[in-house]
Every structure is written in structure tokens, then in C-alpha cells.
């Protein structure tokens, strides 16, 4: 299982790097799906089976499909960055990369200096998650439901365009 | 009748309110009716109240009408209450009666002015404020009236505010009297700390037990009150505003700057006579201020060209007489002179106003002349007023009132030969400048064409006042001339008797009276000689350097304006020029400037670039984590 | 039942994914790709929650992951709708061209 963790981890990191550096949006999206799938494997290996399933279904499935739809609607599947050969010049990525590296270094320091470094991971059953979700976190669930509702209404409202004419035959007049 | 005392100040106030709010839309006849009618009703009421007061005097010879408590704070609770005794009766009679006559006069004089309603509204407000001042039961209410008359004075001096000189004169009057008012307010605060009340009677009753005569506190209070009186009554050293106050219309000069408001200082001192008697130094100062003011103003009046300025300086001089009388302890003589002065000075100002009106706003006496035949009514009434001012013996009221002051300034235990000499010299000068004005204005050749003849509404008040200027003196006559004491009898309960030092010196009194009378006539002769018969001598005198300098010095009122300009106004304007941008403000502006500077610095970061903002968030995250983990 | 996976290494993996996502947000100009990078970061955060939950054998980590998932779904729906709207208005989804809300041009005028 440790081997699986390492392999999935490497795949996740590599495909994520590929996803953020591709100039073609569709390619980036495909790498991202790979990244999420790899992350799902990691979660599975860590013992969070239910979370891994959700990762595949919601992230790699539903959310990515939304992205695909939008990319299709906007028709930017091809060369999104106009100056393709110039966009990954060091001037553009060296600053953010440095910043991310510093952040990573700080986070690593925080992780590796944990007082109980030898702690082990244990499996958390979906059943306990479900019980916790509907007892202790019931209010959170309600709030999440309201938020999803708000998201749906907001998306609908934003996507709604007023018709310019009442009937399609009258359009030209 | 006396319970209607509150109506006396309220009637003119009502007139003011009606005219101020609706005067613009009313017809002139209705404006006249409201403006003069309210004051007339007040005068009628005062006469009725006065008759009742004199025939059936209330208990203690005083009547208090408490309406309600004005405010109550920290043990001090002044009330809106009116207090009537002999002193305030004399004052409200003069204010309402002379005020009414002047209102009648102004209804014709100001009729064609576009601000007719505004004028009568201000005049009504003034009468109301003055009545509150003299009727006030406590010093807080009195201060309200005090400031009210100051406000009206400001408004009416600057009545023709479109000329900047008039507005400047109004400002000057307001600011100069403010110096005195500040002193008076400080005096009132001291009184509050001493007695914890401003009720006049309780102060006067407890003061002799509270202070030993001449103690520091009472001297301070007396001097501060004197400061207020000096400012309002245009005495040395705050007299400079009154000549400039002549910028207002003539009825204003007659009512405010001659007859009533300027005597508020006299009233203040008389009302608080106990305080002054406890402070002998202050009393002596009052006398000296009066004596020196009457001399200085008298000399200044001799050389003025402007008829109203002559009268203004004579007013200062006559109020100096009143102060002199108060200063030597001849309280009722001072108040008597106030009343007589109100009659004849109002008369003189109204007469001068009629002349000015007739000659198309010509105020220079050397451009008048020969009006004796042309305007006989005005001439005779003016002559009566002038006679009273110059104290012509026996026939004029001014003689009786001024003679009493002259006599007491010598004979009173607080008097002295110097004070008498000053008053005597002042009387001599008074007759010179008065008849110089009369001769130049009414004799000689006509120099300006008569433009407009005064109507009945202007002449009747003149006649009434002329009659009063003649017969008013018989209310009070000296020992050797009938010894009538109607006026001082009325005041006897309020003001103490004068203490005569040279008792039984009736022969001296007679000698002094004759001497005064003779100098009065001599002054008239001199005026005739120098300005009518042989004007060349004065002309040559004016050509010499010393003569010209003296002339200029007196013309500018002994150069007080110049001195104040040099010592106070210039340093003050210099200082305020330096501080034009308010140096203290920089302290409070500095933080806002810093914030603006920081804003200019940091707003470059707000470039609208989304990725830049994201980087900002990331940077913040890094900084926060660094602080949380490593510090 | 299985070899123990070290806590540190899995947390480091989450941190690394988070950092890569951050780089993505910072270097991409295409708004859709920026949103994808945000998804990566959210996913990394959720992963960290799950690891922590497993570390303490508590269900709370996974509960938080579910909440993050929900939030991400709603966010993507609204965000993509916004991008569509923006594209209709501006004919572009380039973040560097959308700098109308800056304070620079007015700044030089006002002072």
C-alpha cells in the first residue's frame, strides 16, 4: 500500500504541474482529471474510502464536466494564450514559484516539527462519518444545503439572458 | 394695574415679531400702526402703572412680578421676574414715552425707506430689550436685556448696511461695547461665586454684611461692573464707538445713542449702588471717569463739522455728568439728569434729523445756515433743546438737573473742588459748542436749498419734547428756588440721600449758581463772537501750525481711535495675519495628511490586476504563517 | 492490515499540491484555468483535513472534506456563470485585461 501511495502521489504532483502549465485548456483539464483521480487513490490508501469515492464522483466527475461545458461554450479549446511561445518565460513564473516554494517550505517546517511525529493513520468508516454528519454537524449540513441552493439560483440568474424579441420569427423586424 | 406690568416689555416684542415675520407683506399704514401702536400702548400702560404706583404705593415701595423660573442649575436659579420701584419707573417712563415719540417721528422720517418695516421691527425689539434691562429682577435677566440692546444698536447703526462705512461703524460699536460687556460678565460671575445668586435685592441686602468696605473682592466686582457701564455708556476709555454710531438713521441716534441705551451704564451703577458704596475707590473712579469724559468730549464737540457728531460728543459729555453725579454719591441727581437729558437730547437729535431730512441728507453744519426763518417750528424747538443742553438758567430743565450735579460735585462728602472745576469748565464748553451749532445752522445766509419740509408726525414729537425740556426741570428744584423734590422723593426709597459736607452753605450754592449761569451766557457770547461776528480769528488760528494740530486732534476725538489702532488693532491684525492658516490646525491636519500620503503610496498597488491581488493574499498568508510559527 | 503511511509524507503531498495550485493561480491569465487552480488548492486543503481526521481517528476530517466539496461545487457553478457573463460583456476571459477597477488613472488626476 505504501507503494501505491507513492505512485499515486507522484502521479498527482506531476499531473498537477502539467495541468497548471498547459497552454491548451482542454489538455489542462484532462491533466487535472488525472490529478484528481490520483488524489482519490491517495485518499483511498489513507483509509478514507467514502471521501475517495466522492472525490471521483464530484470532483473528477461533476465539477470537471462543468468546466468542459464552459470551455465548449466559449470555444477556447485551442490556443488560449495568444503568445504561446512567450507565456512561460521565467519572468512570469519565477516570482510565483518562489512564493509557492517559500510557502511550501514553511508548511514543511510546520509539518515536520510536529511534537508527535510517529503517529499513525487509521481508517475512518463511512458509517461514523455519516453519523457525525447528521448529528453533530447537522447545522453545517443545512447551511451547506442552503449554500448549494444559493449557488444554483445565482448561477441561473447570471446565466439568464433577456430575450431581445418575443418570437423568433419577429427577430428581424 | 401693576399685575399687567409684564405687558410693558411684551407689547413691543409682539410688534417686533409681527413686523419681522409679516412686515414685508403689510401696507405701510399698517406697519406704522403696529410699530408705533405697540410702543404707544406700552407708554400708556406705564403712565397708568406710574399713577397707581405713586398714588397708592405697594408695600416697601416696590413691586415684584415673578412670571416663571428661567433656568435652574447648580443652585443658581434666575427667574423671569420684573421689579418695579422708583428707579425703574423713571427709566421705563422715559423709554416708553420718549420711545413712542421717536417712533411717531420715524413713521414719517423713514416712511420712504425700503426697509421701513425692518426699521420699526428693530426699534420695537430695542424698546422691548431696554424695558427688560431696566425692569429685570435679577442680573441675569438684566444681562439678557443688556445684550439685546447691544444687538439692536448693532442692527440699527448698520441699518443702511449697503454702505460699508455704516457696517464698519456697526461692527465697531458692537466690538467696543463687547469689551465692556465681557468685563461685566466677569463681574456677574464673581457675584455668583460670592452670593450664589444674581437676585439684585438679595445681593444689595446681604452685601454690607458680607464685605467690609474696600475689600478686594468688592472692589474687583465694582470695577468690572464699571467696565460694563463704561462700554455701554460710551465713557472714557471706551467712548470711541458713539461718534461713529451716528451712521444710523437719526431716530436711532435719538432713541438709542442719546436717550436710552447709552444710559444703561448709569442705570447699572445706580441699581448696584450698594456695591459701589462699599468700594470707595471704584466710586472715585466713576467720578473721575465722568469728569474727564465730559471735558474731553466737550472739547471734541467744539470743532466738529457734522451736526450729528456734535450731538454725539455732547451726549458723551452729558453722560459724563451723570457718571460724575453717581461718583460723588448724588444718585438721584444723576438719574434726574438722565431723564432731562433724554428729553432734550432726543429733541435735538430729532431736530437735527429734520434739518438733515429737509436739506437732502446734508450733515455738515457749515453748509447749512439761515434756517431760522425757513423752519420756525424746528428752530424754536431746537433752541429749547439747546437751551436745556447749555443749561440756560431758570427757564430750562437742563439748568435744574445740571445745577444739582454741579452743586453736589462740590458739596458732597465725596466731591472735591477739582470735580466741581471740571464740571464747571464742562458747562462753559457745553454752552459754546451748543450755540456754535445753533448759530451756524440757523443764522447767517442759506447755503443749501430746502428739499423737503417735515410733516406733522415729525413736528408734534418735537413740540412735546420741547415742552418737556422746559418744564421737566420743575420736578426737582434747588433749595433756594422753591425746593421741589418730587423726583428725588420718588427715588428716596431706592437710592440713598447724598451726604452734604458743607452743610448750611446756601449762600455758597447761590454764588455757584450765579457763576454757572454767567459762564453759560458768556459761552453763548463767545460762540456768537467767534463764529458769527468775527469768524476770521478762528480761521487765522487754524492756519497756524499749533492751531491746525489742535483742531485736528480734537476733530478726531483726541486721537483715541489712532491710539487704539496703533496699540490694539494693528498688533491684533498682524497676529491674525500670521495665524491666518490657523497654526493649531496643523496638529490636527497632520494625521490626515499622513493618511493621504500613505494612501497615495499604497493606491498604486490597487492596479485592478486579479493575479496581483492573489499574490497579495499569498504574501499575507506567508507573513502570517511566519509570524505564527517563528515568532 | 497495511503498512502505515507516514503522516508527514501525506501532509507534505497536500502542501505540495496546494503550492502548485497557488503557482497556477498566480501565473495563469485565463480565468477558467485560474479557477481550476483554485480547485486544486481546495482539493489539497480537503486532503489535509482527511489526513488529520485519520491521524486522530475522528470522522470530523471527512465531514470537513464533504463541506469543502459542497462549497467547491457551488463556487464553480457561480464562478463559471460569472465567467460566461464576463465573456458576453468583454469578449475575453483574460484576467490581465480586466483592470477597469483600478485606482491608478484617477490617482494621477486627483492630486
Amino acid at each position: 500500500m505504501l507503494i501505491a501511495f507513492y505512485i499515486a502521489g507522484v502521479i498527482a504532483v506531476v499531473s498537477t504541474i502539467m495541468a497548471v502549465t498547459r497552454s491548451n485548456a482542454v489538455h489542462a483539464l484532462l491533466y487535472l482529471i488525472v490529478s484528481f483521480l490520483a488524489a482519490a487513490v491517495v485518499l483511498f490508501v489513507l483509509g478514507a474510502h467514502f471521501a475517495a469515492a466522492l472525490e471521483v464522483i464530484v470532483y473528477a466527475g461533476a465539477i470537471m464536466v462543468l468546466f468542459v461545458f464552459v470551455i465548449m461554450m466559449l470555444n477556447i479549446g485551442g490556443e488560449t494564450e495568444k503568445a504561446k511561445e512567450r507565456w512561460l518565460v521565467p519572468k512570469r513564473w519565477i516570482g510565483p514559484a518562489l512564493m509557492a516554494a517559500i510557502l511550501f517550505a514553511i508548511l514543511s517546517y510546520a509539518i515536520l516539527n510536529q511534537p508527535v511525529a510517529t503517529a499513525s493513520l487509521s481508517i475512518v468508516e463511512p458509517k461514523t462519518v455519516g453519523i457525525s454528519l447528521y448529528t453533530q454537524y447537522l447545522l453545517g449540513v443545512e447551511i451547506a444545503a442552503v449554500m448549494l441552493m444559493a449557488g444554483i439560483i445565482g448561477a441561473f440568474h447570471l446565466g439568464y439572458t433577456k430575450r431581445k424579441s418575443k418570437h423568433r420569427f419577429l427577430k428581424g423586424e | 394695574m401693576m399685575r399687567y406690568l409684564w405687558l410693558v416689555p411684551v407689547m413691543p416684542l409682539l410688534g417686533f415679531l409681527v413686523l419681522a415675520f409679516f412686515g414685508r407683506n403689510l401696507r405701510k399704514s399698517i406697519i406704522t400702526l403696529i410699530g408705533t401702536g405697540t410702543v404707544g400702548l406700552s407708554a400708556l400702560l406705564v403712565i397708568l402703572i406710574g399713577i397707581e404706583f405713586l398714588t397708592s404705593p405697594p408695600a416697601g415701595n416696590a413691586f415684584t412680578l415673578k412670571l416663571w423660573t428661567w433656568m435652574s442649575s447648580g443652585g443658581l436659579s434666575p427667574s423671569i421676574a420684573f421689579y418695579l420701584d422708583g428707579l425703574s419707573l423713571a427709566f421705563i417712563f422715559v423709554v416708553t414715552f420718549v420711545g413712542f415719540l421717536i417712533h411717531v417721528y420715524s413713521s414719517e422720517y423713514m416712511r420712504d425707506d425700503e426697509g421701513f418695516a425692518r426699521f420699526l421691527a428693530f426699534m420695537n425689539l430695542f424698546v422691548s430689550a431696554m424695558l427688560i434691562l431696566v425692569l429685570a429682577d435679577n442680573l441675569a435677566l438684566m444681562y439678557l436685556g443688556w445684550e439685546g440692546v447691544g444687538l439692536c444698536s448693532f442692527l440699527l447703526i448698520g441699518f443702511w448696511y449697503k454702505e460699508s462705512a455704516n457696517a464698519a461703524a456697526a461692527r465697531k460699536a458692537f466690538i467696543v461695547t463687547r469689551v465692556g460687556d465681557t468685563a461685566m460678565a466677569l463681574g456677574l460671575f464673581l457675584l455668583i461665586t460670592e452670593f450664589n445668586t444674581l437676585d439684585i435685592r438679595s445681593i444689595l441686602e446681604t452685601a454690607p454684611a458680607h464685605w467690609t468696605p474696600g475689600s478686594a473682592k468688592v472692589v474687583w466686582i465694582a470695577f468690572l461692573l464699571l467696565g460694563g457701564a463704561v462700554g455701554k455708556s460710551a465713557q472714557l476709555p471706551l467712548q470711541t464707538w458713539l461718534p461713529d454710531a451716528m451712521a444710523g438713521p437719526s431716530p436711532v441716534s435719538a432713541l438709542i445713542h442719546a436717550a436710552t441705551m447709552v444710559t444703561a451704564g448709569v442705570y447699572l451703577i445706580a441699581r448696584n449702588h450698594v456695591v459701589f458704596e462699599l468700594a470707595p475707590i471704584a466710586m472715585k473712579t466713576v467720578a473721575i471717569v465722568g469728569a474727564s469724559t465730559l471735558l474731553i468730549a466737550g472739547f471734541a464737540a467744539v470743532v466738529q463739522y457734522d451736526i450729528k457728531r456734535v450731538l454725539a460728543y455732547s451726549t458723551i459729555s452729558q453722560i459724563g455728568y451723570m457718571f460724575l453725579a453717581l461718583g460723588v454719591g448724588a444718585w438721584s441727581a444723576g438719574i434726574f439728569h438722565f431723564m432731562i437729558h433724554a428729553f432734550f437730547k432726543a429733541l435735538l437729535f430729532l431736530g437735527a434729523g429734520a434739518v438733515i431730512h429737509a436739506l437732502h441728507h446734508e450733515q455738515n453744519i457749515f453748509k447749512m445756515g439761515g434756517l431760522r426763518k425757513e423752519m420756525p417750528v424746528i428752530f424754536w424747538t431746537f433752541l429749547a433743546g439747546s437751551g436745556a443742553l447749555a443749561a440756560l438758567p431758570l427757564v430750562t430743565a437742563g439748568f435744574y438737573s445740571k445745577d444739582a450735579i454741579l452743586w453736589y460735585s462740590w458739596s458732597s462728602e465725596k466731591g472735591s473742588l477739582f470735580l466741581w472745576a471740571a464740571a464747571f469748565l464742562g458747562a462753559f464748553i457745553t454752552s459754546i459748542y451748543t450755540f456754535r451749532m445753533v448759530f451756524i445752522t440757523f443764522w447767517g445766509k442759506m447755503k443749501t436749498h430746502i428739499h423737503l419740509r417735515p410733516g406733522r408726525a415729525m413736528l408734534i414729537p418735537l413740540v412735546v419734547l420741547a415742552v418737556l425740556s422746559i418744564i421737566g426741570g420743575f420736578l426737582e428744584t434747588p433749595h433756594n428756588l422753591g425746593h421741589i423734590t418730587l423726583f428725588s422723593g420718588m427715588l428716596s426709597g431706592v437710592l440713598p440721600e447724598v451726604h452734604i459736607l458743607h452743610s448750611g452753605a446756601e449762600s455758597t450754592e447761590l454764588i455757584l449758581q450765579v457763576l454757572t449761569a454767567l459762564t453759560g451766557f458768556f459761552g453763548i457770547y463767545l460762540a456768537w463772537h467767534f463764529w458769527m461776528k468775527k469768524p476770521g480769528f478762528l480761521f487765522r488760528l487754524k492756519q497756524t501750525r499749533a492751531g491746525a494740530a489742535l483742531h485736528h486732534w480734537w476733530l478726531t476725538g483726541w486721537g483715541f481711535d489712532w491710539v487704539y489702532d496703533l496699540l490694539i488693532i494693528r498688533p491684533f491684525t498682524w497676529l491674525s495675519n500670521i495665524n491666518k492658516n490657523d497654526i493649531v490646525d496643523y496638529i490636527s491636519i497632520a494625521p490626515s495628511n499622513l493618511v493621504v500620503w500613505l494612501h497615495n503610496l499604497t493606491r498604486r498597488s490597487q492596479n485592478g490586476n486579479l493575479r496581483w491581488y492573489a499574490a497579495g493574499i499569498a504574501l499575507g498568508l506567508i507573513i502570517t504563517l511566519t509570524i505564527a510559527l517563528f515568532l | 492490515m497495511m503498512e502505515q503511511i507516514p503522516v508527514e509524507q501525506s501532509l507534505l503531498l497536500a502542501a505540495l499540491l496546494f503550492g502548485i495550485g497557488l503557482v497556477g493561480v498566480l501565473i495563469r491569465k485565463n480565468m477558467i484555468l485560474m479557477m481550476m487552480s483554485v480547485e486544486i488548492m481546495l482539493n489539497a486543503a480537503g486532503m489535509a483535513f482527511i489526513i488529520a481526521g485519520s491521524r486522530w481517528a475522528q470522522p470530523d476530517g471527512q465531514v470537513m472534506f464533504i463541506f469543502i466539496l459542497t462549497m467547491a461545487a457551488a463556487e464553480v457553478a457561480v464562478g463559471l456563470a460569472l465567467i460566461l457573463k464576463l465573456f458576453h460583456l468583454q469578449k475575453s476571459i483574460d484576467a490581465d485585461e480586466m483592470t477597469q477597477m483600478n485606482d491608478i488613472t484617477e490617482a494621477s488626476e486627483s492630486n
Side-chain angles (χ1 to χ4, degrees):
Chain A
M1 290 298 254
L2 199 58
I3 305 289
F5 170 74
Y6 285 131
I7 292 170
V10 168
I11 289 173
V13 171
V14 170
S15 62
T16 309
I17 290 172
M18 295 298 273
V20 299
T21 51
R22 290 308 89 188
S23 61
N24 189 313
V26 178
H27 294 177
L29 196 63
L30 288 173
Y31 277 115
L32 195 58
I33 291 169
V34 173
S35 159
F36 283 146
L37 289 176
V41 171
V42 170
L43 293 183
F44 187 83
V45 169
L46 288 172
H49 307 138
F50 180 57
L54 280 178
E55 175 98 13
V56 172
I57 294 165
V58 179
Y59 261 124
I63 294 178
M64 287 303 120
V65 166
L66 267 180
F67 275 101
V68 170
F69 279 164
V70 173
I71 288 169
M72 278 166 58
M73 282 174 78
L74 300 186
N75 197 17
I76 50 169
E79 303 299 310
T80 47
E81 315 289 340
K82 275 163 193 153
K84 188 191 171 190
E85 66 279 5
R86 277 208 295 116
W87 89 266
L88 260 182
V89 288
K91 198 181 112 194
R92 277 199 55 186
W93 60 260
I94 204 108
L98 203 63
M99 197 179 278
I102 292 168
L103 185 62
F104 179 66
I106 291 171
L107 288 176
S108 310
Y109 173 84
I111 292 162
L112 295 173
N113 274 302
Q114 276 188 114
V116 275
T118 54
S120 59
L121 295 171
S122 52
I123 295 169
V124 178
E125 290 293 328
K127 188 180 170 187
T128 54
V129 174
I131 289 168
S132 172
L133 203 57
Y134 285 101
T135 53
Q136 196 180 350
Y137 288 98
L138 189 60
L139 192 65
V141 173
E142 295 291 341
I143 293 172
V146 170
M147 187 180 66
L148 275 177
M149 192 70 195
I152 289 165
I153 293 171
F156 169 76
H157 174 75
L158 288 168
Y160 181 82
T161 47
K162 228 176 188 175
R163 286 201 189 122
K164 287 201 175 81
S165 58
K166 282 179 182 147
H167 194 276
R168 56 197 166 99
F169 294 141
L170 300 172
K171 215 171 186 175
E173 292 166 28
Chain B
M1 208 66 221
M2 274 188 229
R3 58 205 166 88
Y4 296 115
L5 184 66
W6 60 275
L7 270 176
V8 173
V10 166
M11 289 298 299
L13 189 65
L14 272 178
F16 161 72
L17 290 174
V18 171
L19 289 179
F21 286 107
F22 311 108
R24 196 181 287 259
N25 308 318
L26 294 176
R27 272 184 305 160
K28 285 205 167 162
S29 52
I30 298 186
I31 293 171
T32 309
L33 195 68
I34 293 170
T36 58
T38 50
V39 182
L41 282 175
S42 270
L44 198 67
L45 202 61
V46 166
I47 289 171
L48 290 175
I49 287 173
I51 289 169
E52 188 185 326
F53 185 86
L54 293 174
T55 52
S56 57
N61 253 339
F63 172 71
T64 310
L65 181 73
K66 184 174 170 180
L67 298 178
W68 67 83
T69 300
W70 187 5
M71 48 190 161
S72 182
S73 140
L76 183 74
S77 56
S79 50
I80 303 280
F82 296 131
Y83 177 70
L84 186 73
D85 61 2
L87 180 62
S88 47
L89 183 64
F91 267 86
I92 59 171
F93 170 69
V94 170
V95 171
T96 53
F97 189 70
V98 176
F100 172 63
L101 291 175
I102 293 171
H103 273 76
V104 171
Y105 177 93
S106 349
S107 69
E108 182 183 330
Y109 189 87
M110 297 298 291
R111 193 176 177 80
D112 299 326
D113 197 283
E114 56 180 339
F116 183 54
R118 180 164 60 97
F119 181 79
L120 280 181
F122 289 164
M123 292 284 270
N124 279 355
L125 180 64
F126 166 76
V127 170
S128 177
M130 188 72 197
L131 288 169
I132 289 172
L133 195 167
V134 294
L135 281 173
D137 172 64
N138 57 69
L139 287 165
L141 187 60
M142 183 171 165
Y143 196 71
L144 177 76
W146 188 273
E147 295 296 342
V149 295
L151 167 73
C152 293
S153 170
F154 169 79
L155 291 173
L156 286 165
I157 293 170
F159 181 73
W160 289 314
Y161 55 87
K162 281 174 185 159
E163 271 182 46
S164 63
N166 295 348
R171 276 204 303 279
K172 184 177 174 186
F174 201 66
I175 291 166
V176 172
T177 51
R178 181 104 345 242
V179 176
D181 293 352
T182 309
M184 180 177 161
L186 291 176
L188 296 190
F189 296 151
L190 263 181
L191 275 175
I192 293 172
T193 58
E194 286 289 302
F195 294 103
N196 205 23
T197 178
L198 281 174
D199 189 62
I200 293 171
R201 263 156 315 129
S202 65
I203 288 176
L204 297 190
E205 277 161 21
T206 48
H210 190 80
W211 286 311
T212 54
S215 65
K217 274 271 172 56
V218 70
V219 169
W220 268 107
I221 290 172
F223 268 107
L224 287 169
L225 291 181
L226 175 63
V230 157
K232 202 57 113 193
S233 290
Q235 296 293 293
L236 211 64
L238 297 177
Q239 84 283 29
T240 56
W241 65 271
L242 189 58
D244 287 353
M246 296 303 131
S250 291
V252 171
S253 310
L255 179 62
I256 299 182
H257 304 122
T260 57
M261 182 192 90
V262 285
T263 55
V266 178
Y267 176 78
L268 179 70
I269 293 176
R271 186 48 95 194
N272 295 298
H273 60 94
V274 176
V275 175
F276 281 87
E277 275 171 343
L278 286 171
I281 306 170
M283 279 285 271
K284 196 163 273 180
T285 313
V286 172
I288 291 168
V289 163
S292 41
T293 309
L294 75 90
L295 280 180
I296 284 175
F299 279 113
V302 175
V303 295
Q304 299 299 322
Y305 300 126
D306 185 331
I307 187 165
K308 286 179 72 178
R309 282 181 91 89
V310 176
L311 292 172
Y313 278 111
S314 87
T315 303
I316 298 174
S317 173
Q318 297 303 308
I319 298 170
Y321 272 106
M322 296 175 210
F323 268 62
L324 176 61
L326 301 177
V328 298
W331 304 102
S332 67
I335 304 303
F336 186 54
H337 192 56
F338 146 74
M339 189 175 81
I340 302 299
H341 172 257
F343 293 148
F344 70 70
K345 192 49 66 68
L347 166 63
L348 286 173
F349 264 113
L350 295 183
V355 169
I356 292 164
H357 201 52
L359 298 183
H360 204 68
H361 298 286
E362 180 57 65
Q363 301 201 359
N364 189 340
I365 50 174
F366 287 98
K367 291 185 181 166
M368 297 170 180
L371 297 172
R372 184 163 46 111
K373 298 266 168 54
E374 295 293 326
M375 307 169 83
V377 180
I378 287 173
F379 166 66
W380 285 109
T381 53
F382 201 85
L383 195 65
S386 302
L389 174 58
L392 289 186
L394 302 179
V395 292
T396 61
F399 169 73
Y400 297 103
S401 64
K402 204 184 271 181
D403 176 70
I405 294 175
L406 276 167
W407 165 238
Y408 288 132
S409 68
W410 184 66
S411 66
S412 162
E413 63 175 1
K414 297 196 180 73
S416 71
L417 196 62
F418 289 109
L419 293 176
W420 175 81
F424 180 73
L425 187 59
F428 177 56
I429 297 163
T430 306
S431 62
I432 294 179
Y433 69 70
T434 308
F435 279 86
R436 164 183 176 267
M437 173 177 70
V438 173
F439 290 142
I440 293 172
T441 312
F442 290 97
W443 265 269
K445 280 193 290 243
M446 263 187 73
K447 289 166 190 144
T448 310
H449 180 69
I450 291 183
H451 157 78
L452 192 72
R453 280 179 198 281
R456 204 175 297 160
M458 281 166 78
L459 292 180
I460 288 172
L462 288 176
V463 174
V464 174
L465 286 169
V467 170
L468 285 173
S469 305
I470 301 290
I471 64 160
F474 298 118
L475 288 171
E476 182 86 13
T477 57
H479 304 275
N480 48 5
L481 293 169
H483 198 267
I484 301 168
T485 56
L486 285 177
F487 193 81
S488 56
M490 185 174 91
L491 294 177
S492 62
V494 188
L495 297 169
E497 291 281 322
V498 57
H499 301 283
I500 306 276
L501 197 62
H502 311 266
S503 54
E506 295 212 348
S507 55
T508 327
E509 190 175 358
L510 187 66
I511 292 170
L512 292 181
Q513 280 169 353
V514 173
L515 206 59
T516 318
L518 285 178
T519 48
F521 283 117
F522 183 57
I524 296 171
Y525 170 72
L526 282 183
W528 172 258
H529 184 80
F530 282 125
W531 277 283
M532 285 288 110
K533 214 168 155 199
K534 289 178 178 169
F537 172 71
L538 282 178
F539 185 72
R540 279 197 302 281
L541 190 67
K542 223 189 280 181
Q543 298 300 100
T544 63
R545 270 179 71 186
L550 192 67
H551 179 257
H552 181 73
W553 192 36
W554 285 355
L555 188 67
T556 55
W558 294 60
F560 275 96
D561 277 334
W562 180 77
V563 172
Y564 289 162
D565 187 55
L566 196 71
L567 290 184
I568 297 168
I569 298 171
R570 286 216 194 144
F572 185 77
T573 47
W574 175 76
L575 213 67
S576 50
N577 256 326
I578 290 176
N579 197 18
K580 204 183 252 169
N581 296 327
D582 213 340
I583 291 164
V584 182
D585 266 10
Y586 284 119
I587 299 168
S588 53
I589 289 171
S592 85
N593 277 347
L594 183 70
V595 169
V596 169
W597 181 76
L598 281 174
H599 161 72
N600 283 334
L601 202 70
T602 50
R603 91 171 141 206
R604 286 169 210 294
S605 68
Q606 198 185 350
N607 56 8
N609 193 331
L610 189 60
R611 299 191 295 126
W612 175 261
Y613 296 159
I617 294 170
L619 195 67
L621 176 64
I622 290 170
I623 291 169
T624 315
L625 279 178
T626 311
I627 290 172
L629 288 174
F630 299 106
L631 296 178
Chain C
M1 71 166 207
M2 56 182 178
E3 303 104 300
Q4 282 299 318
I5 295 162
V7 179
E8 298 81 20
Q9 290 179 16
S10 39
L11 279 174
L12 279 178
L13 176 64
L16 195 58
L17 288 176
F18 187 85
I20 295 164
L22 178 64
V23 172
V25 172
L26 294 183
I27 64 171
R28 299 311 298 228
K29 293 201 286 186
N30 188 323
M31 281 195 185
I32 293 177
L33 290 168
M34 286 174 85
M35 275 198 65
M36 286 187 200
S37 306
V38 171
E39 294 306 316
I40 294 167
M41 290 168 78
L42 285 171
N43 184 42
M47 189 186 279
F49 267 112
I50 288 174
I51 294 162
S54 299
R55 157 71 182 75
W56 300 105
Q58 294 293 322
D60 305 60
Q62 290 196 38
V63 170
M64 285 299 154
F65 178 79
I66 289 165
F67 285 158
I68 288 173
L69 205 69
T70 320
M71 198 272 285
E75 178 238 330
V76 163
V78 176
L80 287 177
L82 276 170
I83 287 171
L84 278 178
K85 196 88 181 166
L86 196 67
F87 188 77
H88 278 299
L89 290 172
Q90 302 269 338
K91 300 292 168 227
S92 166
I93 46 168
D94 190 337
D96 282 11
E97 290 174 16
M98 316 288 173
T99 58
Q100 287 94 330
M101 289 178 77
N102 63 52
D103 191 31
I104 289 172
T105 47
E106 279 155 292
S108 53
E109 282 162 19
S110 64
N111 273 353

